[in-house]
Amino acid sequence: MVDERTPDIAAGRLTAEQYVANFNDLHPPLDRHQALVESDRCYFCYDAPCVTACPTGIDIPLFLREILTENPKGAGETILSANILGGMCARVCPTETLCEEACVREKAEGKPVRIGELQRYATDALMADGTQPFVRAAPTGKRVAVVGGGPAGLSCAHRLAVHGHDVVIFDARPKIGGLNEYGIAAYKTPGGFAQAEVDFILSIGGITVEPGKALGRDFSIDSLREEFDAVFIGVGLAGVNALRLAGEDQPGVSDAVAYIAELRQTDDLAALPVGRRIVVIGGGMTAIDIASQSKRLGAEDVTIVYRRGADRMGASEYERELAQTDGVTIKFNAQPTALVTDGGRVTGVTFEYTAENGAGLAGTGETFTLDTDMVFKAIGQTFVPEALNGAGQAIAIDSGRIQVDDERRTSLAGVWAGGDCIVGGEDLTVVAVEDGKIAAESINRALAG
Amino acid sequence: MADLRSDFVGIKSPNPFWLASAPPTDKEYNVVRAFKAGWGGVVWKTLGEDPPIVNVAGPRYGAVHAGDRRLIGLNNSELITDRELQVNLEEIKRVKRDWPDRALVVSLMVPCEEPSWKAILKAVEDTDCDGVELNFGCPHGMSERGMGSAVGQVPEYIEMVARWCKASTRMPVIVKLTPNITDIRYPARAAHKGGADAVSLVNTINSITSVDLDNFAPEPSIDGKGSHGGYCGPAIKPIALSMVSEIARDKECAGLPISGIGGITTWRDAAEYMALGAGNVQVCTAAMTYGFKIVEEMKSGLSRYLDEKGMTLSDLTGRAVPNVTDWQYLNLNFVTKARIDQDLCIECGRCHIVCEDTSHQAITATKDGRRHFEVIDSQCVGCNLCVNVCPVEDCITMERITAATDPQSGAPATGYRNWTQHPNNPMAKLPEPAE
Ligand SMILES: Cc1cc2nc3c(=O)[nH]c(=O)nc-3n(C[C@H](O)[C@H](O)[C@H](O)COP(=O)(O)OP(=O)(O)OC[C@H]3O[C@@H](n4cnc5c(N)ncnc54)[C@H](O)[C@@H]3O)c2cc1C
Ligand SMILES: Cc1cc2nc3c(=O)[nH]c(=O)nc-3n(C[C@H](O)[C@H](O)[C@H](O)COP(=O)(O)O)c2cc1C
Ligand code: SF4
Ligand code: SF4
Ligand code: SF4
């Protein structure tokens, strides 16, 4: 946690207007004319590469054509029928490594159709209506428990509800939405969009929400299997990797994900203390997000240090550029070797340069030290299996995450899983949504049989 | 710089770009601006008898847009001039006096009675303008009163009025044709027979540009109602070009000069009209879309083109006409196949899907399990559809095959054989079988 007593960590570094500007929409929504011009750039490809590249397989050429023909709500429905969190995905998907990377216009001229922004245009149009475009099938009388109300759980619950099943979502947190609510960078989803989307999804009906209920504490897999006809687990990643350096538990070192959650939940950004000099350790989306957001909160020097080269970084070039535009420095090929402490708090980090040799990564012996007020750990999150396998029959784990088959069935009959907590797949919102959808279809088939 | 000076039926202008009779040429103010901008000539907005007609006060234009609101078609329900004859005549006289080197032709439309034509021709002659254009083309409003296209659709009337006019004026007479007719050669022949010095075409095409799907009225609508208007702009160019070529290669119209009109927007459009037989060109919608300055591009483009080709302006006129022929004379042994340049291909798959769904199943979608677009010669009929839909220029080209027979049909692929010589044609004049 942040220690507010040190002089170089302070809240309210900026004016009220600066906070607003810094945490506003990263991309302002397209207006009608922009949307028409941009959607007209789509070639309506056959067996479109962008669709193949979308983890949820949204029919992109079709929805773009619907925008072009001034049917944006139809476009929105096309999107949501493949991806019920299409609104959030439009804001947070790293499109430059997904649909837009595959767009033939990227190949042709380095300027893909701006699919993400157009997806937002269409889903905004549909959701502005407030009406739920999907209708529930006749009630089946079957009940399904969904553990975790993140993208995976929400997607699964909605699809099950569409098929007429009754769903209860249990979530350990006070609000559902998962990392949409607690993790995604604030400027990607301003204006309370995450909760608006949750409300929209729940408006299908047939879904009950039980917030503040944690698996392993308030109930177990066994109790759920007794009470429900099927169980879906979408609990995400509750743990964080450790630096494994002396002093890690002293003030001055924070977990990036926890700090972002605090940022996302605060009513007053000016009340959030931030250091003058920040060091972020890691190379993924979380590293980029904590760096950019602390800069936007008024930090002066923010440096990301990543142990490998730029090409290996989890964050895309586009995201790196965003951070660099915000004034973040990114250092490559250096790994932390020691934390410098002074008076019971961490005041610096010593790094050693690294080089990739055949076997892996090795230190070169050269070192440097960065003085810092706050160190953020962003070196990856981990699945915590304890809650899952506390009692009863064990669910098989592989490489630290839940093992599933193609239909997202776990080793335990009647239990499915998806999202960040399963093996394989990228840790992305859109991937979690697809997992939830696939699992729901599989559950539906199982319940019908 | 090539010499762009133009002589059309004895009317001289510094370049072949005239403004067509329409709002850009409605009054002195506009025409003077046009001449300042460099236009070679104008056909003054059509004059009629007093009292002047009235135009609608609601919207008179409708439009068809391509992406990014590029205007590709305009529709109008404007009538002829709504100003008094005398006012127009005074302005015309003044403009011609001030701009003697520019062509100033006056468009006319009066009822189909000889005295009416005689009277207006006399009045117009007094302005010292260079010629007259008989507006037999306006397809809306005036036609309901027996003028405009109502005349242009009856060859006998065209011939009659042209003859009256030729008999009562020394000025060159151009007859402006309506495209709202099945065979454009008939009105052109009638004008020729009546003694007209030239024809100009096309006037606008009957059209409704769109329908308001909330109020169920055609656009533009006036107080909930709409009538058809006249269509013009880039969208009509292919139609007008074909009509110009029909007249240019018609034996009965031999020697009849043509002023080409319809969708001309660039020097290239103008050059195409001239290559198909137009002696000069007239422009309306392009000026109404971008203003008069576009003529600068037209002049520089045409001039550079002529220089590069080593041609004069008159060399250009009609240069492509000998290559316009009837379908029955096209070489059926000219066998082409589509060729895809794999380096240019961006793998959008459009060529495949159009050929697969709507043509001849001649383009692959995959090869060895990978996305790959390639033409299957044994299926390709050489239709050019894929070339037209490919978003990448020159990525697909059509090439004549070198083999002796077409792998698709087994038909011969060398030499020349047209339909009149084809064995499938019952009327074919087949060579006598060898003894
Ligand atoms: C900082 C950060 C930024 C990110 N930015 C992006 C981005 O820009 N774009 C992108 O595509 N992806 C991004 N991601 C990844 C993305 O957020 C995740 O891949 C996605 O949220 C996974 O969804 P999920 O449903 O599997 O898990 P989560 O979103 O983590 O949801 C899991 C839910 O389960 C609940 N839960 C956990 N344990 C229990 C329990 N024991 N009992 C009951 N409930 C429990 C949690 O409270 C939570 O609501 C980001 C991740 C982080 C950390
Ligand atoms: C608003 C408007 C009014 C027109 N009025 C006349 C007219 O009075 N007399 C005439 O001969 N043609 C008239 N025309 C037709 C044009 O002269 C021209 O033949 C036609 O627009 C096609 O050329 P374009 O495609 O360059 O516009 C008018 C066209 C427009 C758009
Ligand atoms: S790849 Fe690009 S151009 Fe092709 S359908 Fe997808 S968005 Fe459209
Ligand atoms: S030319 Fe016609 S038949 Fe041949 S590949 Fe192209 S579309 Fe198909
Ligand atoms: S239409 Fe052109 S670019 Fe697209 S796949 Fe075919 S050849 Fe390639």
Side-chain angles (χ1 to χ4, degrees):
Chain A
M1 264 297 55
V2 171
D3 184 338
E4 287 167 58
R5 288 164 309 177
T6 48
D8 280 357
I9 298 178
R13 290 190 186 273
L14 307 175
T15 64
E17 295 76 38
Q18 284 172 314
Y19 282 113
V20 170
N22 288 356
F23 288 89
N24 225 342
D25 244 328
L26 191 58
H27 303 287
L30 298 180
D31 67 22
R32 179 175 161 278
H33 181 72
Q34 289 171 315
L36 293 181
V37 171
E38 189 59 22
S39 58
D40 196 26
R41 294 184 61 234
C42 172
Y43 290 141
F44 204 71
C45 296
Y46 165 73
D47 190 15
C50 55
V51 179
T52 314
C54 171
T56 55
I58 294 173
D59 192 339
I60 295 164
L62 178 60
F63 95 69
L64 295 178
R65 200 167 174 78
E66 287 170 318
I67 291 177
L68 181 64
T69 55
E70 306 209 45
N71 178 11
K73 291 179 191 174
E77 194 168 334
T78 298
I79 293 162
L80 297 187
S81 64
N83 177 340
I84 192 64
L85 279 91
M88 182 59 80
C89 288
R91 291 161 167 80
V92 308
C93 271
T95 51
E96 66 280 3
T97 64
L98 299 168
C99 53
E100 291 181 18
E101 180 180 51
C103 174
V104 300
R105 295 202 80 146
E106 167 65 30
K107 182 168 178 177
E109 61 204 356
K111 281 206 188 91
V113 176
R114 285 147 70 194
I115 300 167
E117 287 171 79
L118 288 161
Q119 178 167 323
R120 172 164 178 195
Y121 177 79
T123 48
D124 280 358
L126 183 67
M127 287 168 70
D129 241 11
T131 45
Q132 169 72 228
F134 304 99
V135 214
R136 291 194 74 191
T140 60
K142 305 281 187 190
R143 297 180 68 237
V144 183
V146 168
V147 187
L154 286 168
S155 160
C156 184
H158 186 272
R159 187 56 71 103
L160 288 167
V162 167
H163 286 308
H165 308 302
D166 285 326
V167 183
V168 181
I169 299 178
F170 299 94
D171 199 298
R173 300 251 198 187
K175 285 188 206 166
I176 64 167
L179 290 171
N180 287 357
E181 177 59 36
Y182 293 96
I184 297 293
Y187 43 78
K188 287 187 186 169
T189 169
F193 180 77
Q195 285 311 299
E197 187 177 52
V198 166
D199 294 345
F200 174 81
I201 292 170
L202 298 182
S203 71
I204 181 82
I207 305 174
T208 316
V209 178
E210 298 271 2
K213 295 270 172 63
L215 175 69
R217 184 188 71 200
D218 303 313
F219 53 88
S220 69
I221 293 288
D222 276 350
S223 67
L224 292 179
R225 288 174 79 210
E226 262 165 47
E227 201 190 329
F228 293 88
D229 298 294
V231 178
F232 175 80
I233 303 168
V235 290
L237 306 174
V240 283
N241 283 324
L243 293 171
R244 295 200 191 94
L245 295 177
E248 186 169 352
D249 49 359
Q250 291 192 23
V253 179
S254 316
D255 163 23
V257 177
Y259 186 86
I260 292 172
E262 212 180 317
L263 188 155
R264 284 293 307 276
Q265 295 308 308
T266 185
D267 292 332
D268 182 11
L269 289 167
L272 215 59
V274 70
R276 209 179 276 285
R277 295 159 307 166
I278 309 276
V279 170
V280 177
I281 301 171
M285 226 174 233
T286 306
I288 293 286
D289 284 0
I290 188 67
S292 281
Q293 289 179 110
S294 44
K295 196 86 188 50
R296 285 165 187 246
L297 281 173
E300 275 167 28
D301 297 317
V302 180
T303 308
I304 297 177
V305 185
Y306 175 54
R307 62 193 175 127
R308 298 180 194 273
D311 49 318
R312 296 286 298 272
M313 208 165 173
S316 67
E317 191 182 334
Y318 169 79
E319 287 169 296
R320 290 203 300 272
E321 276 171 15
L322 269 183
Q324 284 162 334
T325 310
D326 278 341
V328 170
T329 306
I330 307 182
K331 278 185 172 308
F332 298 104
N333 301 310
Q335 62 191 11
T337 52
L339 297 173
V340 183
T341 52
D342 179 12
R345 64 172 291 123
V346 173
T347 58
V349 188
T350 300
F351 293 90
E352 180 185 18
Y353 283 109
T354 62
E356 207 99 40
N357 60 25
L361 207 61
T364 64
E366 295 164 87
T367 62
F368 63 91
T369 299
L370 296 177
D371 293 339
T372 181
D373 303 314
M374 284 168 105
V375 180
F376 282 116
K377 291 187 285 184
I379 52 173
Q381 293 164 267
T382 52
F383 175 62
V384 183
E386 285 70 26
L388 195 64
N389 290 336
Q393 273 178 281
I395 291 175
I397 302 289
D398 175 15
S399 324
R401 300 198 191 182
I402 302 174
Q403 183 190 315
V404 292
D405 67 7
D406 283 355
E407 295 194 19
R408 309 302 187 260
R409 286 179 294 219
T410 69
S411 61
L412 195 58
V415 181
W416 283 254
D420 285 357
C421 65
I422 62 168
V423 190
E426 282 184 88
D427 292 343
L428 293 176
T429 309
V430 64
V431 173
V433 173
E434 181 67 2
D435 286 339
K437 184 175 96 185
I438 291 174
E441 293 297 346
S442 175
I443 293 170
N444 183 49
R445 281 191 297 274
L447 296 184
Chain B
M1 289 294 272
D3 184 0
L4 292 184
R5 274 179 301 173
S6 153
D7 180 340
F8 187 74
V9 297
I11 304 173
K12 301 208 167 33
S13 56
N15 61 59
F17 303 109
W18 293 6
L19 284 165
S21 172
T25 63
D26 185 46
K27 53 187 184 301
E28 180 176 8
Y29 182 83
N30 305 77
V31 172
V32 168
R33 285 182 68 85
F35 284 162
K36 282 187 183 153
W39 289 86
V42 300
V43 181
W44 199 275
K45 173 77 183 169
T46 307
L47 307 185
E49 289 181 338
D50 285 336
I53 57 85
V54 288
N55 271 307
V56 293
R60 67 181 80 160
Y61 301 123
V64 173
H65 291 112
D68 209 0
R69 281 185 74 77
R70 184 209 283 248
L71 187 86
I72 56 165
L74 186 72
N75 160 289
N76 84 88
S77 61
E78 177 174 293
L79 305 182
I80 61 173
T81 182
D82 51 14
R83 304 185 311 146
E84 278 175 18
L85 182 59
Q86 199 49 43
V87 175
N88 275 301
L89 293 173
E90 282 162 16
E91 289 183 7
I92 291 168
K93 195 177 176 96
R94 202 157 48 232
V95 172
K96 184 64 212 181
R97 188 196 64 208
D98 294 347
W99 297 86
D101 71 321
R102 307 303 168 97
L104 204 172
V105 171
V106 176
S107 170
L108 301 174
M109 185 196 290
V110 292
C112 242
E113 289 150 11
E114 195 172 5
S116 294
W117 285 98
K118 274 201 146 94
I120 199 159
L121 281 167
K122 175 81 197 62
V124 169
E125 238 169 39
D126 289 344
T127 65
D128 296 324
C129 71
D130 298 302
V132 293
E133 185 180 78
L134 314 186
N135 179 351
F136 296 155
C138 181
H140 44 260
M142 304 312 293
S143 52
E144 294 168 18
R145 305 171 203 178
M147 293 181 267
S149 65
V151 178
Q153 285 164 341
V154 185
E156 294 76 12
Y157 290 173
I158 295 176
E159 185 180 338
M160 177 178 77
V161 178
R163 183 162 291 128
W164 289 340
C165 292
K166 278 308 286 180
S168 48
T169 179
R170 54 167 176 80
M171 294 183 292
V173 172
I174 304 168
V175 170
K176 185 166 180 180
L177 303 178
T178 175
N180 298 308
I181 187 156
T182 5
D183 189 339
I184 197 69
R185 290 173 301 180
Y186 289 86
R189 287 169 188 164
H192 198 29
K193 269 194 225 140
D197 296 276
V199 288
S200 57
L201 71 155
V202 294
N203 207 309
T204 55
I205 305 178
N206 283 354
S207 67
I208 288 176
T209 45
S210 60
V211 177
D212 180 329
L213 289 176
D214 294 318
N215 303 316
F216 302 99
E219 293 277 19
S221 68
I222 293 174
D223 200 14
K225 305 269 188 231
S227 70
H228 77 254
Y231 201 41
C232 46
I236 73 162
K237 180 186 138 194
I239 300 167
L241 265 182
S242 166
M243 290 184 165
V244 165
S245 79
E246 286 295 287
I247 296 171
R249 68 193 194 93
D250 183 37
K251 291 202 174 55
E252 293 184 40
C253 291
L256 178 66
I258 302 168
S259 183
I261 318 172
I264 295 164
T265 311
T266 66
W267 73 267
R268 191 174 279 277
D269 297 328
E272 288 172 15
Y273 269 89
M274 296 184 80
L276 282 180
N280 76 354
V281 294
Q282 299 184 28
V283 174
C284 167
T285 304
M288 290 183 71
T289 309
Y290 303 108
F292 290 145
K293 189 183 159 103
I294 53 167
V295 74
E296 289 177 28
E297 169 277 312
M298 294 180 169
K299 287 192 292 189
S300 82
L302 184 61
S303 160
R304 187 171 295 272
Y305 168 76
L306 292 175
D307 282 345
E308 278 168 12
K309 291 276 171 200
M311 284 168 31
T312 65
L313 197 58
S314 52
D315 291 340
L316 177 58
T317 292
R319 183 94 186 233
V321 175
N323 292 329
V324 184
T325 183
D326 292 342
W327 189 93
Q328 59 179 337
Y329 300 122
L330 296 174
N331 184 4
L332 297 171
N333 288 8
F334 184 80
V335 178
T336 57
K337 302 289 172 192
R339 292 282 170 262
I340 296 177
D341 180 338
Q342 296 297 338
D343 292 335
L344 290 178
C345 173
I346 58 169
E347 299 186 349
C348 70
R350 267 164 63 167
C351 55
H352 162 79
I353 200 61
V354 297
C355 191
E356 191 71 14
D357 280 354
T358 73
S359 295
H360 296 85
Q361 299 75 48
I363 298 182
T364 65
T366 53
K367 186 182 180 180
D368 305 329
R370 280 190 46 251
R371 190 171 175 82
H372 183 80
F373 301 93
E374 198 174 280
V375 177
I376 307 159
D377 281 4
S378 61
Q379 301 299 320
C380 173
V381 301
C383 71
N384 208 33
L385 177 65
C386 54
V387 173
N388 291 322
V389 304
C390 176
V392 182
E393 211 175 334
D394 296 332
C395 175
I396 314 183
T397 46
M398 300 304 299
E399 275 174 28
R400 185 175 193 176
I401 61 167
T402 49
T405 52
D406 181 351
Q408 193 270 333
S409 62
T414 51
Y416 174 86
R417 179 176 65 170
N418 66 40
W419 176 241
T420 68
Q421 305 159 325
H422 198 279
N424 286 23
N425 179 0
M427 325 272 273
K429 304 171 209 82
L430 293 179
E432 297 295 318
E435 291 293 316

